[in-house]
Amino acid sequence: ETTWIITDTHFHHEMLVREAIRPENYNELIVKNWNDVVKEMDTVIHLGDVIFGDKSKLSDILHFLNGKKILVKGNHDYKPNKFYIDAGFGMVCNQLVFNDVLFTHIPQPNIDEFVLNIHGHLHNSAHRIEEVRDILTPKHKLIALEDTEYKPIKLKDLL
């Protein structure tokens, strides 16, 4: 059983394609890459912003994705927790602490008590990183799908 991390899938976020930020087939690419590595017994911690477009499509997407899924809510995950549970997440939270690692969507300040803050949100975009530059430390670990070829990454590789 392996634990995987993914973030900012932004399923059905049409502006990302329109502005050529992501390839036209990025929804299918994420699903394929996820299922190529994640097995049914694995766990995937999704660090938020799971779907941007038509949220009613979320359960259809999650139905095709392998593994047990945990959602750490992002700034675009504004529906009630029950919505995400009903769609297929086994657990929904605002942040998660596991083995002194803090999992969040947005990087958090004052993380001295943690070994790491694994987060998403910034998309490795210069203007987004600039907005939080004053809180970022070597203990902050950004996950950006644009840098992982739209694949989840093994938690043990991050640690």
Side-chain angles (χ1 to χ4, degrees):
E1 295 177 26
T2 305
T3 301
W4 300 87
I5 309 292
I6 197 165
T7 188
D8 296 290
T9 47
H10 284 260
F11 286 115
H12 300 291
H13 191 167
E14 307 204 350
M15 183 277 294
L16 293 176
V17 172
R18 199 170 48 251
E19 301 287 325
I21 295 168
R22 289 192 176 174
E24 217 170 291
N25 68 335
Y26 84 91
N27 293 295
E28 297 80 9
L29 192 59
I30 293 169
V31 170
K32 179 194 179 307
N33 290 342
W34 179 310
N35 286 336
D36 281 351
V37 295
V38 176
K39 306 300 174 228
E40 274 309 317
M41 292 308 297
D42 292 349
T43 299
V44 179
I45 301 171
H46 192 303
L47 298 179
D49 287 2
V50 65
I51 188 166
F52 196 87
D54 182 354
K55 297 212 182 324
S56 70
K57 295 179 179 175
L58 183 58
S59 62
D60 292 339
I61 295 166
L62 294 179
H63 176 76
F64 286 104
L65 294 173
N66 293 338
K68 298 175 228 134
K69 300 161 208 63
I70 297 171
L71 176 62
V72 177
K73 289 173 91 170
N75 53 303
H76 294 295
D77 304 318
Y78 52 80
K79 293 255 191 202
N81 290 0
K82 183 179 182 331
F83 170 83
Y84 299 99
I85 296 283
D86 290 347
F89 281 99
M91 180 178 146
V92 179
C93 54
N94 293 320
Q95 62 180 30
L96 181 67
V97 177
F98 178 71
N99 288 351
D100 295 324
V101 176
L102 175 64
F103 297 88
T104 59
H105 178 66
I106 297 173
Q108 298 298 298
N110 309 317
I111 58 163
D112 297 341
E113 66 187 284
F114 301 105
V115 175
L116 274 178
N117 175 197
I118 299 176
H119 63 87
H121 184 62
L122 303 179
H123 295 269
N124 220 356
S125 152
H127 80 273
R128 287 228 171 151
I129 291 171
E130 196 53 46
E131 291 171 7
V132 294
R133 181 162 314 283
D134 56 333
I135 69 157
L136 294 178
T137 71
K139 292 167 91 174
H140 287 90
K141 180 71 179 158
L142 168 64
I143 308 301
L145 264 188
E146 294 81 0
D147 293 341
T148 65
E149 300 174 334
Y150 303 96
K151 297 175 183 167
I153 36 186
K154 283 184 185 173
L155 176 58
K156 74 174 185 147
D157 291 346
L158 290 172
L159 302 177

